[in-house]
Amino acid sequence: MKAANAPLIYVSHGAPTFALDNTSIAASNLKEQGKELRNVKAIIAMSPHYTTSSLTINTTQQHRIVHDFYGFAKPLYELTYEAAGHQTFAEEVARKISASNLPVTTTSQAHLDHGIWIPMRYLLPTSDVPIIQMSYPASWTLEQLEILGQCLARLRLEGYAVLMSGGVSHNFADLKTSSEPASYVNRLRESLFYYVKSKDTDGFKQYVRNNSDVKRAHPSFEHFAPFYVAYFSAHPEDHVDIFEAPIELHALAMDSITWKFVE
């Protein structure tokens, strides 16, 4: 695989119980998407469950996972994922992002949260590619997140795959059992798929800022931010594969997307 072929993957990581749901359509989708990660330099990964004020990049050589959830069955806490980091690559990523006048710090002490290690168990169970963990910079503006995406697009050209883990919808107040999918979630999915396929950047930015379905699905922005960054990490020539999955519990969308070069 050429360095320029490094893919961009967006996943909806759902609830922590997704880690045990290995026969679901969403899990099967991630297993298929993970085939793109076998020959990349490293994986730059962001999850909303590691949040800092500004961007922080983990320079550890060996990740430690954290079971950062409470009240679930014991088997969930027995799961693990062994993954290497890479100090040199992490420092290179930090330098190149900071060159775009974005504030970046580094640490070697962050733990790999469930927004990364749970989907990675499906994407790359062999865990043989270094992961460069980034925080979600909660104080950043949409303009800064857009620039971050553009930085990641350039890093893809150097062989770094990008993994953005969040949720197409994430309003837990709307979750219900034995219910039809929420109409606003269906509309949101269709709109996001349209903007990903059409590459209508101006329309996408207006939609995110103004649409009531986005605000209903995301009362707070952190679980949508990885999708926003992913949108701007794509290249115009990318081939887009959308992996649809059933909406769970009325309002929890589990779709995922891969952008990749096709020769």
Side-chain angles (χ1 to χ4, degrees):
M1 176 179 286
K2 297 179 182 178
N5 284 1
L8 161 65
I9 294 177
Y10 172 81
V11 303
S12 295
H13 60 251
T17 50
F18 180 45
L20 301 174
D21 194 13
N22 58 16
T23 61
S24 67
I25 291 174
S28 297
N29 287 345
L30 266 59
K31 293 172 186 177
E32 182 65 25
Q33 290 176 277
K35 295 176 182 178
E36 305 296 332
L37 297 175
R38 291 175 179 164
N39 297 294
V40 300
K41 182 176 182 178
I43 302 166
I44 303 172
M46 175 191 286
S47 156
H49 295 286
Y50 173 34
T51 297
T52 55
S53 177
S54 195
L55 186 70
T56 300
I57 295 177
N58 191 354
T59 60
T60 188
Q61 287 290 111
Q62 183 63 46
H63 288 290
R64 295 168 292 168
I65 74 165
V66 59
H67 296 81
D68 51 337
F69 40 78
Y70 306 94
F72 294 94
K74 182 179 178 182
L76 195 53
Y77 299 94
E78 295 173 343
L79 297 178
T80 189
Y81 186 76
E82 301 292 333
H86 199 295
Q87 182 178 354
T88 301
F89 291 166
E91 291 174 346
E92 177 183 49
V93 168
R95 284 195 305 273
K96 293 189 174 181
I97 293 175
S98 64
S100 293
N101 294 318
L102 294 174
V104 182
T105 59
T106 60
T107 182
S108 62
Q109 301 303 311
H111 294 344
L112 208 61
D113 63 84
H114 79 271
I116 295 178
W117 69 260
I118 286 180
M120 283 302 302
R121 282 174 56 87
Y122 294 124
L123 290 164
L124 200 68
T126 54
S127 65
D128 52 357
V129 177
I131 296 174
I132 309 303
Q133 179 189 22
M134 296 196 312
S135 69
Y136 161 55
S139 68
W140 281 16
T141 63
L142 292 179
E143 289 77 12
Q144 287 175 302
L145 294 175
E146 179 179 344
I147 294 170
L148 175 61
Q150 293 165 352
C151 292
L152 296 176
R154 292 191 291 272
L155 284 162
R156 290 178 57 206
L157 296 174
E158 300 179 25
Y160 290 101
V162 173
L163 170 66
M164 294 285 115
S165 175
V168 169
S169 61
H170 195 266
N171 187 340
F172 276 24
D174 283 349
L175 299 189
K176 304 175 184 176
T177 57
S178 303
S179 179
E180 292 296 317
S183 58
Y184 78 89
V185 177
N186 277 326
R187 291 193 301 268
L188 174 69
R189 294 170 73 232
E190 291 173 4
S191 296
L192 294 180
F193 295 165
Y194 163 76
Y195 286 115
V196 166
K197 291 177 180 177
S198 68
K199 304 175 183 177
D200 176 8
T201 298
D202 289 339
F204 173 70
K205 290 195 285 188
Q206 289 300 314
Y207 177 76
V208 171
R209 289 180 183 275
N210 301 317
N211 189 269
S212 60
D213 292 335
V214 177
K215 294 175 173 57
R216 175 75 180 273
H218 295 278
S220 57
F221 195 72
E222 77 282 347
H223 272 75
F224 190 77
F227 187 97
Y228 197 83
V229 175
Y231 184 89
F232 294 101
S233 303
H235 293 280
E237 62 270 27
D238 277 339
H239 174 79
V240 179
D241 288 318
I242 295 175
F243 294 81
E244 296 186 38
I247 296 172
E248 298 179 355
L249 301 174
H250 182 62
L252 188 61
M254 292 294 295
D255 309 292
S256 54
I257 304 171
T258 295
W259 293 258
K260 62 182 179 181
F261 292 99
V262 176
E263 296 185 22

